[in-house]
């Protein structure tokens, strides 16, 4: 069961069509009645990264959430929670992304992870952080339904089911973890630790319209026309990454999750449902791809000279200061436009993710961005 991933074609956010697509995908993976009971406290964990309207494709579309709520109501579930922890203040995000309206319409509970108790979860099998500051909503729920959005990620190449669970970390603890990990390799281990600690019961991915380019918040919407469903986040990410033209070997945290036994190996994943064409997403062309963990460990001087840092667009920047506020290592100071201290910067690009003015890009992105292959190939 953990190696099954259902792909169902869905070409619009028409509520009835989305609900039917999710129902079909749930039937294909089977055994849903053994996972969700009428008396379960069910937590829906969407991707609500930023206070952007649904048409920007940065967040899980409210229609996908609504369709799942209707399905849960249909099987008799009475307690349905919607929760996340986002940048710019979670209440604002819930409002702009349509979650408050859904909660009011269906009697669901809004769970602001940043304004509730923290549960310090200890997991012996974690590799980098055995103790994690998770929202108590995570531990108080009976069933967690992970509802990610398919997107390019400027730092991690791809973001989906595994990375969506990082939102279970409460508030500024997320930034502090970036400061603690320092390197991309260490942070990827933390992403896998969070997945291992939260253990979502079901994953339903909004891949009707995804985000290509400068994701996860400032890219461009791209029609991908599918709903993905699986009981395993790793299996889902393997399939989703391939569907947008990404080799799983390029996504370090997926490989780490596989090695740690949290999901099937690539060749063990079984795709069921519709046969859909690969839609190759455009993504930033990084000039020096090998500047990763090997360069940091083996060539620190070279890495310092060429490491990627945030680059600010003086025309787009609105001088809001969110980049300075969110930087986990205080590497940004405000002048006419933000200025980065290259010595302090750890290249986490939290600032880029938080900037909804699209004023930040990586310094190592090539000016000419070319697609790897034609779409639909």
């Amino acid at each position: 069961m953990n190696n099954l991933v259902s792909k169902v074609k869905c070409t619009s956010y028409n509520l009835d069509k989305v609900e039917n697509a999710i129902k079909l995908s749930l039937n294909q993976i089977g055994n849903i009645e053994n996972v969700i009971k009428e008396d379960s406290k069910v937590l829906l964990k969407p991707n609500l990264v930023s206070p952007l309207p649904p048409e920007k494709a940065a967040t899980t579309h409210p229609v996908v959430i609504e369709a799942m709520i209707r399905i849960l109501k249909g099987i008799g579930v009475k307690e349905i929670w919607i929760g996340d922890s986002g940048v710019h203040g979670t209440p604002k995000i819930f409002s702009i992304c349509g979650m408050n309206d859904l909660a009011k319409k269906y009697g669901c509970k809004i769970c602001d992870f940043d304004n509730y108790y923290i549960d310090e979860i200890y997991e012996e099998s974690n590799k980098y952080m055995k103790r994690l500051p998770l929202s108590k909503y995570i531990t108080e729920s009976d069933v967690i339904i992970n509802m990610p959005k398919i997107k390019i990620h400027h730092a991690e190449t791809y973001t989906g089911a595994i990375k969506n669970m990082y939102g279970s970390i409460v508030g500024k603890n997320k930034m502090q973890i970036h400061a603690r990990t320092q390197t991309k390799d260490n942070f990827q281990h933390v992403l896998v630790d969070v997945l291992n600690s939260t253990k979502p019961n079901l994953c339903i991915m909004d891949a009707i319209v995804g985000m290509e380019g400068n994701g996860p918040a400032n890219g461009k919407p791209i029609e991908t026309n599918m709903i993905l469903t699986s009981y395993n986040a790793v299996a889902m990410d393997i399939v989703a990454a391939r569907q947008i033209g990404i080799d799983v070997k390029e996504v370090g945290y997926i490989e780490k999750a596989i090695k740690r036994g949290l999901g099937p190996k690539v060749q063990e994943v079984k795709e069921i449902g519709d046969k859909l064409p690969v839609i190759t997403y455009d993504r930033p062309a990084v000039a020096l791809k090998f500047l990763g963990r090997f360069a940091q460990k083996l060539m620190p001087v070279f890495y310092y000279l060429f490491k990627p840092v945030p680059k600010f667009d003086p025309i787009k920047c609105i001088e809001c200061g969110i980049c300075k506020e969110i930087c986990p290592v205080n590497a940004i100071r405000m002048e006419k436009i933000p200025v980065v201290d290259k010595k302090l910067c750890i290249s986490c690009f939290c600032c880029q993710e938080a900037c909804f003015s699209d004023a930040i890009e990586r310094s190592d992105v090539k000016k000419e961005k070319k697609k790897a292959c034609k779409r639909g190939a």
Side-chain angles (χ1 to χ4, degrees):
M1 184 170 71
N2 281 343
N3 69 334
L4 293 179
V5 180
S6 166
K7 297 188 300 184
V8 173
K9 185 175 182 179
C10 188
T11 58
S12 79
Y13 285 111
N14 173 277
L15 180 56
D16 290 334
K17 289 182 179 179
V18 174
E19 184 176 353
N20 288 335
I22 295 176
K23 282 181 177 178
L24 177 57
S25 67
L26 290 173
N27 287 335
Q28 289 175 351
I29 62 173
N31 297 310
I32 190 67
E33 66 279 358
N34 294 327
V35 177
I36 303 172
K37 309 292 184 182
E38 288 186 17
D39 59 351
S40 298
K41 297 175 184 175
V42 179
L43 171 64
L44 305 182
K45 168 60 182 76
N47 181 325
L48 301 178
V49 65
S50 193
L52 294 168
E55 59 269 21
K56 294 290 186 180
T59 56
T60 307
H61 200 285
V63 168
V64 178
I65 305 296
E66 183 172 6
M68 193 61 212
I69 291 171
R70 287 180 20 162
I71 291 169
L72 292 171
K73 290 282 187 181
I75 60 179
V77 176
K78 296 178 178 60
E79 283 202 64
I80 302 172
W81 303 351
I82 306 170
D84 199 8
S85 167
V87 184
H88 303 286
T90 307
K92 180 180 180 181
I93 296 175
F94 280 138
S95 177
I96 292 175
C97 295
M99 299 302 115
N100 288 343
D101 291 339
L102 290 179
K104 185 177 180 180
K105 182 176 180 180
Y106 292 98
C108 302
K109 180 178 180 179
I110 286 291
C111 301
D112 181 352
F113 290 177
D114 296 341
N115 288 296
Y116 196 54
Y117 300 106
I118 294 176
D119 212 344
E120 293 281 349
I121 298 300
Y122 181 84
E123 177 57 63
E124 178 62 35
S125 61
N126 282 355
K127 182 167 183 177
Y128 192 88
M129 290 187 69
K130 295 188 182 296
R131 193 176 297 278
L132 287 165
L134 302 178
S135 168
K136 202 165 184 179
Y137 283 125
I138 292 288
T139 56
E140 288 180 343
S141 62
D142 300 314
V143 175
I144 299 172
I145 301 181
N146 182 9
M147 302 190 71
K149 182 80 164 178
I150 191 168
K151 296 185 288 184
I152 291 296
H153 194 285
H154 54 77
E156 298 294 346
T157 305
Y158 156 88
T159 179
I162 296 174
K163 197 170 186 307
N164 189 46
M165 294 311 298
Y166 191 62
S168 306
I169 302 289
V170 175
K172 292 188 177 180
N173 287 284
K174 292 192 284 292
M175 277 74 252
Q176 292 167 1
I177 289 172
H178 274 289
R180 173 178 170 178
T181 55
Q182 292 285 313
T183 69
K184 183 176 179 178
D185 189 61
N186 288 339
F187 181 67
Q188 288 173 349
H189 280 300
V190 172
L191 292 178
V192 180
D193 287 342
V194 173
L195 177 67
N196 188 41
S197 297
T198 55
K199 297 178 175 62
N201 305 89
L202 174 66
C203 302
I204 298 171
M205 178 176 280
D206 173 9
I208 299 171
V209 177
M211 177 178 281
E212 65 176 352
N214 193 22
N218 293 304
K220 297 178 181 178
I222 173 171
E223 293 183 3
T224 316
N225 300 324
M226 62 181 178
I227 290 287
L228 274 69
T229 303
S230 180
Y231 288 113
N232 186 272
V234 181
M236 171 172 279
D237 279 345
I238 290 170
V239 172
R242 290 193 303 211
Q243 280 296 129
I244 60 174
I246 293 174
D247 189 330
V248 172
K249 293 179 181 178
E250 296 182 68
V251 189
Y253 63 82
I254 298 180
E255 286 210 301
K256 288 175 172 63
I258 294 171
K259 288 178 181 177
R260 286 168 59 178
L262 297 184
K265 296 177 181 178
V266 174
Q267 64 272 21
E268 295 172 343
V269 174
K270 184 178 180 181
E271 296 183 29
I272 54 178
D274 296 330
K275 291 185 178 180
L276 301 171
V278 171
I279 307 293
T280 302
Y281 277 24
D282 186 16
R283 46 188 166 133
V286 178
L288 295 171
K289 286 187 177 181
F290 65 89
L291 276 180
R293 61 182 184 272
F294 301 112
Q296 275 186 284
K297 291 179 179 179
L298 303 178
M299 299 178 289
V301 175
F302 181 82
Y303 180 78
Y304 171 73
L305 291 173
F306 294 98
K307 74 174 179 180
V309 295
K311 183 179 178 182
F312 296 88
D313 186 328
I315 297 175
K316 292 182 178 179
C317 179
I318 60 173
E319 302 177 43
C320 66
I322 187 66
C323 54
K324 179 179 183 294
E325 179 184 336
I326 206 166
C327 179
V329 291
N330 298 315
I332 297 175
R333 68 180 187 274
M334 296 299 295
E335 294 184 1
K336 285 187 177 180
I337 61 170
V339 177
V340 179
D341 186 327
K342 193 171 182 179
K343 287 184 179 180
L344 293 177
C345 180
I346 59 173
S347 304
C348 68
F349 295 97
C350 289
C351 55
Q352 185 182 22
E353 191 166 324
C355 178
F356 54 79
S357 300
D358 193 19
I360 305 174
E361 68 175 13
R362 294 168 60 112
S363 61
D364 62 342
V365 171
K366 295 178 182 179
K367 290 184 179 180
E368 293 185 9
K369 302 172 184 178
K370 298 180 180 179
K371 294 178 177 60
C373 60
K374 293 181 180 178
R375 287 183 181 155

